[in-house]
Structures are given as structure tokens and as C-alpha cells.
Amino acid sequence: MSPTQLLSTSISSSSSAFLAAPIAFKARNKNVSIASKTPSICKCVAAPQEQKTVYKTQVSRNANIAKLQAGYLFPEVARRRNAHMLKYPDAKVISLGIGDTTEPIPEVITSAIAKRAEALSTLEGYSGYGPEQGEKPLRTAIASTFYAGLGIEEDDIFVSDGAKCDISRLQMVFGANVTMAVQDPSYPAYVDSSVIMGQTGQFQKDVEKYSKIEYMRCTPENGFFPDLSKVSRTDIIFFCSPNNPTGSAATREQLTRLVQFAKDNGSIIIYDSAYAMYMSDDNPRSIFEIPGAKEVALETSSFSKYAGFTGVRLGWTVVPKQLLYSDGFPVVKDFNRVVCTSFNGASNICQAGGRACLSPEGLKAMSEVIGFYKENTNIIMDTFNSLGFNVYGGKNAPYVWVHFPGQSSWDVFSEILEKTHVVTTPGSGFGPGGEGFVRVSAFGHRENVLEACRRFKQLYN
């Protein structure tokens, strides 16, 4: 018998027994007197719920992380995009905001990745932990491809899971007690990682800056290169060229002045060359093209925007042996120590892809993908120029920097999203110097870029 049947039978039996049993009732006196009462209102009051006690540890929050303002820029852009998509579920939202690549990785590269992955299923092809600094063939290929004739050797190069990760490892190397300067505007990871490390003071809302950071203002008026005569001495100088977000690229003469400035002040330049292959002008693609740079600079770069490795994750950092601390100790030894402590090396599968990138066929394929994005950039540049905007960048980087004078960057971002369903990036997210600008990314399928530009014309014509 099933549980349901048992339950039904039990209830039925009990009910029958109850109804069949003889019951004796005692009669009441018919004359019953009931005292009358004045009617009153009965109020039902809910008893307060017992407050649930939340268990808390005795560990204090990292006060440096507590200094950070709101969320990191790009997740915040993504959050607003997602909210917009919930509001307009039928809209075709086009993302030209976060600089994420969209075109497929060339087959010559993915086939090498697949081959290495397949080999891991064989005794002959299996490998476990590799060198934390990266496999020697890839390090050698990076040195010969990007730094030929510049005095950079294979053992100066550390292969990683991307430039952004290396920025935080470099912050660990230099510690909390250094001072730092940053282009304004610039990639937000420089400032945020400095805040987390404890190198800064509190955020000053009136000027939209953290105290103890030297913001090197880069504007159309100074060609997006800071006036170094107005920059105070700092230990570390973050510098990105071609720049994210402005798309500007420093000339040889400007980088020569930067290197001399670092030498005069005993500073170290952290040079971000993640967009060097987008360079069209005859500008340096590496800081090490500048004489004397190996004594004051290191360089970080990435395959992300060259080969579409934003999800694959592969980059590198160059730390020359000539770069020394004030006591003469080589910086490279400390970086090596941090890498060996915090990192087990880039994926061997990804490194196989990196080697394929630097083969003659791979370099040609990457150049074609980069050329595609540069065509997108030209389309976006032409659109905003035709609408009468002041437009910067584009020529040497996959970003277009559009000026909306007198307007809040976030307001412009919101208006474009609301009226065109196109995601951009507000310039103020890159620092106070970005207020009044919006960054438009060229990473997108061609049909989406063309459609976005059609919507821009509809909005601003």
C-alpha cells in the first residue's frame, strides 16, 4: 500500500470511528442570561520579528581597499549595460565600450594551441609545471621579434598571464612606501593598484583625485604629453604609449625627455606598450628604443589586443639587468622573487599559441586582424569628425577620444546608451583629466560598428 493510501485509510478510519461513537450531551438550562458589552475595535499588532544576529569575525577590513571609489570602471560600465538590456529587452545593444576584441583568433595560432593541448594526453607530450618566467623558446621569440638590436635578452623577459596582472606584481615589488605618477587620463589599473598597495592618501572628492599621487595632465593643448617641468619627483612613473584611453602616441623626442626626466630624478618608468603594434606613425614601439632607458625603465606588454588573447591570457614584462635600486641591487631579482612566489607560470597551452603568434605566418595573421580594427577606427573617426566633434586618437590605437565640452562624461555615456543603445566608456573613469570626453572602442564586428555610427549620426545630426 502506498504512503498516500495509508494516509487516506488512516484518516478515513479515524473519521468513521469518531462519527460512529455514541456521544452523551448534557442539556443546558434554557434561561441563559448574557451580559451586554459595549462594542470595541480590536487591533491586530504584529509582534516585532526577532533580529537575526549576523556573525562577524574580528578581522578588520583592509583600509586601503576601503579608499577605492565605487567599482572598477569596466565592471561598472558592464553593470549599466546589463541594466539597460533589462529595461530594453528587444533592443540591439552594441558594445563599443570595454576594449574587448571580437574577431576570431587566426587559425594558424589556434591550431598550435590545439596541438599542444592534444599532446598533453600523451606520455611524450605531457608537461606539468614549467618555468615561472616562461618557456625559453617563447622568451627568445619575444626578444628577437620586439626588441631586436635593443640589447634586451631572453632572460630579461618574463612571460605572464597578461599585462594587467603584471602591473599588480610590479606593485608588490615596489611596495607601499614609494610615490607614483600617472598620466591623466590613463588606464585605471595603475591608480587602483596603487591605492590597494597603500601608496596613496584618501580620495579628494573636490578634485576627483587621490592624495599622494602625481597626476600628469595630458590634454589636447599639450598634445597629450605632460609638461614635465610641472611634474613633481616621484619614485615610479606609469606611462602608456600608445595611450589608453586617448589613443595618443609619444614621439621619440618626447620619450627621450621622459627618460632624461627619470634619470634626473632617480625614478623608474613602468612603460605599458600593449598597443605598440597599432602604431602607424614613426614613433617608438618600445621605451628601450631610447638610449639610456634600460637604466630607468621596465616594460610590460600583451598578446591580448594583437592576437585576440583577451580570454586566452598571455603577456610579458621586460626587466633589464641594468635597472638598479638606490643600493645597487637589481630590480629584476626582486621581480623574479615575486613571480616565483605568486605565480606558477603562464599556461603551457597559451605559450604554444604565443610562439605561433610570433612565427612569420602568425605575425602576418595578427597584422591583418589589427588592420581590420584600424579600419573600424577610421570609420568611427570619420563619423564624429563629420558631426563636428573634436576627435583624438585613432591613428595609433584602437580607441577614439571624443570631446563633449562642458558636459559630464557619465551623462554623455547615459544619453548615448539611452538614445542609441550603444555602449561607450566615460572619460572621467580614466581620471579627472578625462572629464568631458568619451572613449569609443574600435573592437567590434564591422556591421556593428557601421550600425553604431549610423545611430550616432541620427542622434547628433
Side-chain angles (χ1 to χ4, degrees):
M1 187 177 291
S2 71
T4 306
Q5 291 172 318
L6 284 170
L7 180 60
S8 176
T9 304
S10 174
I11 293 173
S12 176
S13 301
S14 300
S15 302
S16 300
F18 173 77
L19 293 172
I23 302 174
F25 291 96
K26 186 177 181 181
R28 287 185 175 183
N29 192 326
K30 289 182 181 180
N31 299 322
V32 178
S33 174
I34 301 176
S36 65
K37 290 185 178 180
T38 305
S40 61
I41 298 173
C42 178
K43 292 184 179 180
C44 297
V45 180
Q49 290 186 344
E50 188 176 335
Q51 291 290 329
K52 185 177 180 181
T53 303
V54 177
Y55 176 78
K56 294 181 288 188
T57 70
Q58 296 184 35
V59 180
S60 299
R61 185 185 180 198
N62 183 333
N64 295 315
I65 294 179
K67 295 176 190 174
L68 291 170
Q69 299 298 298
Y72 186 67
L73 173 61
F74 300 114
E76 176 60 20
V77 169
R79 186 191 68 78
R80 296 189 185 209
R81 178 199 64 206
N82 293 338
H84 182 81
M85 291 172 71
L86 287 174
K87 183 178 178 182
Y88 300 101
D90 297 326
K92 182 185 177 184
V93 176
I94 298 172
S95 182
L96 300 180
I98 299 171
D100 192 6
T101 51
T102 58
E103 302 311 294
I105 298 172
E107 194 273 337
V108 65
I109 299 168
T110 56
S111 62
I113 294 173
K115 184 178 179 181
R116 183 68 177 270
E118 185 66 27
L120 293 175
S121 65
T122 68
L123 285 173
E124 300 79 17
Y126 177 77
S127 62
Y129 290 128
E132 292 91 345
Q133 303 81 2
E135 296 174 354
K136 186 170 182 176
L138 178 55
R139 297 168 80 191
T140 301
I142 291 171
S144 62
T145 302
F146 297 106
Y147 305 102
L150 300 180
I152 298 299
E153 299 172 343
E154 161 261 317
D155 58 351
D156 296 323
I157 294 168
F158 293 76
V159 178
S160 72
D161 50 348
K164 184 177 183 179
C165 303
D166 275 348
I167 287 166
S168 290
R169 293 183 188 112
L170 288 166
Q171 293 281 27
M172 291 174 65
V173 168
F174 295 118
N177 296 323
V178 296
T179 53
M180 62 87 73
V182 64
Q183 290 161 290
D184 177 28
S186 67
Y187 184 47
Y190 311 144
V191 168
D192 283 15
S193 60
S194 294
V195 174
I196 291 170
M197 280 300 300
Q199 297 167 1
T200 76
Q202 295 293 331
F203 185 74
Q204 302 168 309
K205 290 187 180 296
D206 55 333
V207 290
E208 296 290 313
K209 296 179 180 179
Y210 289 94
S211 62
K212 299 184 181 179
I213 289 183
E214 181 70 18
Y215 289 80
M216 303 185 296
R217 184 57 68 95
C218 298
T219 67
E221 291 71 32
N222 62 20
F224 296 103
F225 186 83
D227 182 350
L228 297 176
S229 67
K230 297 180 180 178
V231 175
S232 300
R233 188 258 169 207
T234 60
D235 297 311
I236 306 298
I237 302 170
F238 278 98
F239 200 91
C240 178
S241 180
N243 178 263
N244 176 16
T246 67
S248 61
T251 65
R252 192 170 303 276
E253 185 272 333
Q254 288 172 333
L255 289 181
T256 299
R257 282 194 276 134
L258 179 65
V259 167
Q260 190 58 52
F261 178 80
K263 281 196 169 187
D264 292 343
N265 288 284
S267 306
I268 292 176
I269 301 166
I270 297 178
Y271 190 81
D272 186 342
S273 64
Y275 300 95
M277 285 187 71
Y278 285 82
M279 194 85 73
S280 295
D281 292 336
D282 185 26
N283 296 323
R285 285 156 175 73
S286 168
I287 191 68
F288 302 122
E289 294 182 37
I290 308 303
K294 289 193 288 295
E295 298 171 353
V296 294
L298 53 85
E299 182 169 305
T300 186
S301 196
S302 170
F303 287 97
S304 288
K305 307 303 166 62
Y306 301 165
F309 273 26
T310 50
V312 175
R313 308 305 308 149
L314 193 68
W316 69 90
T317 290
V318 183
V319 188
K321 303 175 192 66
Q322 298 92 327
L323 184 63
L324 308 176
Y325 290 112
S326 58
D327 63 357
F329 193 83
V331 174
V332 67
K333 290 190 175 181
D334 278 358
F335 188 64
N336 184 66
R337 185 69 175 83
V338 166
V339 167
C340 291
T341 299
S342 62
F343 188 52
N344 275 331
S347 158
N348 47 20
I349 299 170
C350 299
Q351 291 190 69
R355 288 180 64 187
C357 288
L358 303 182
S359 68
E361 299 81 9
L363 287 168
K364 181 175 182 293
M366 285 197 301
S367 295
E368 289 172 355
V369 175
I370 290 169
F372 174 86
Y373 290 131
K374 287 171 75 74
E375 290 173 0
N376 281 352
T377 307
N378 292 335
I379 293 168
I380 298 168
M381 291 275 292
D382 290 346
T383 296
F384 280 102
N385 278 322
S386 72
L387 293 169
F389 287 93
N390 289 323
V391 186
Y392 307 93
K395 188 176 182 182
N396 298 302
Y399 300 121
V400 178
W401 192 237
V402 187
H403 195 197
F404 291 81
Q407 298 187 59
S408 155
S409 294
W410 278 109
D411 286 349
V412 175
F413 165 89
S414 297
E415 180 185 44
I416 292 174
L417 181 60
E418 182 70 23
K419 295 181 178 179
T420 71
H421 307 301
V422 177
V423 180
T424 58
T425 307
S428 57
F430 299 96
E435 184 59 274
F437 290 86
V438 164
R439 191 193 76 174
V440 185
S441 167
F443 294 118
H445 301 311
R446 181 60 49 80
E447 62 271 21
N448 286 346
V449 170
L450 290 170
E451 172 61 19
C453 288
R454 186 191 68 77
R455 296 179 192 178
F456 291 147
K457 288 179 179 177
Q458 218 171 25
L459 176 62
Y460 292 115
N461 249 336

